[in-house]
Amino acid sequence: MKFGKRIKEQIQESLPEWRDKFLRYKELKNLISSPAPAESIFLGLLNAEIEKFNAFFVEQEEDFIIHHKELQYRIQRLVEKCGDNDDVMFREEISEIRKDIVNFHGEMVLLVNYSNINYTGLAKILKKYDKRTGGALRSPFIQKVLRQPFFKTDLVSRLVREWETTMDAMFPALTTEVEGYERSAAVSSAAAGEGIFRNTVAALMTMREMRRGSSTYGVYSLPPLNLSDSDLVLRPRHIPSPIPIPY
C-alpha cells in the first residue's frame, strides 16, 4: 500500500480529536512536486510538524501518567472494598474498571502508532525531497528526529506492558479455545462503547505493516513488529519501543 493512502486511512481510523495532529503528508508531497521546491520552505514546514507532534505527544503522555495513577488507586480501593466479600456485589464497578483499563491500554497503543506513522512519514517525505532535488537532507534531519520527544516511546510502551499484565489479571487467561474466544469477546465488549477496540486493532495492523521485515527494510526503518492475526485480538499486545536506528 502506498504510504499516502496508509496515512490517510490511519487518520480516518484514529480518534476524531487526533486527526489534525498527524503529518500533513499530502501537502508536503505537493510542495515537492512543484517546479522548484524551496528548501527553506520545506524545512520550515517539517519543523512546524515536529513541534506539533511533540506538543501533542507530551500532552498525551502527561495525561497517561495521571490516568495510570488514578486507575491504580481505583483498583486498590476496589480490592479493599471487596475483601472476602462476594464480588457479585461489586460487579458493576468491576465491569466499569475493566472497560476503563481496556480503553486506556488502547489509547496508549494508539499513541505508539502515532509516533511510528509520523516518523515513517517524515523519513519517506525526506527521501522524496532528496530524490527530487538531488539534496542530502534526510540523514541529518532524521538524526534530529531521533532526539525528539514524540519519537521516544519508552515510557508509554512500559505503561502498555504494565497494563497488559493487569488486563491478564482482570481477564484471566482461559484454557480452551471456546473460552479463549469468550475472553476476546469480553475485551471487545468492554471497549465497544467508545470505539477504542476497533481503533486499536487498526493501529496494530498499521504498525505490523510498517514494521514488517521486507526487502525494502533499511537504516531508516523502524524495527519489525511481528504479529499474527490472532495477536491482534486474542493475545496481549506487547509493543517493542522504537530503537535508535544505525547509520
Side-chain angles (χ1 to χ4, degrees), residues 79-96:
V79 169
E80 291 172 356
K81 285 195 296 181
C82 287
D84 297 327
N85 298 323
D86 187 344
D87 66 1
V88 172
M89 297 173 56
F90 303 98
R91 185 169 294 168
E92 184 176 344
E93 189 171 355
I94 291 171
S95 176
E96 189 64 30

Side-chain angles (χ1 to χ4, degrees), residues 185-204:
V187 176
S188 302
S189 298
E194 296 176 38
I196 289 290
F197 184 76
R198 178 175 175 234
N199 299 132
T200 306
V201 171
L204 284 163

Side-chain angles (χ1 to χ4, degrees), residues 61-107:
E61 193 175 57
E62 290 173 349
D63 287 346
F64 288 163
I65 292 170
I66 294 170
H67 197 179
H68 169 74
K69 293 178 180 178
E70 289 175 345
L71 268 178
Q72 285 183 319
Y73 176 74
R74 287 173 59 196
I75 292 171
Q76 183 59 39
R77 287 289 305 274
L78 182 60
V79 169
E80 291 172 356
K81 285 195 296 181
C82 287
D84 297 327
N85 298 323
D86 187 344
D87 66 1
V88 172
M89 297 173 56
F90 303 98
R91 185 169 294 168
E92 184 176 344
E93 189 171 355
I94 291 171
S95 176
E96 189 64 30
I97 287 179
R98 282 176 172 172
K99 176 181 175 181
D100 289 348
I101 290 171
V102 173
N103 288 338
F104 181 44
H105 173 269
E107 288 183 5

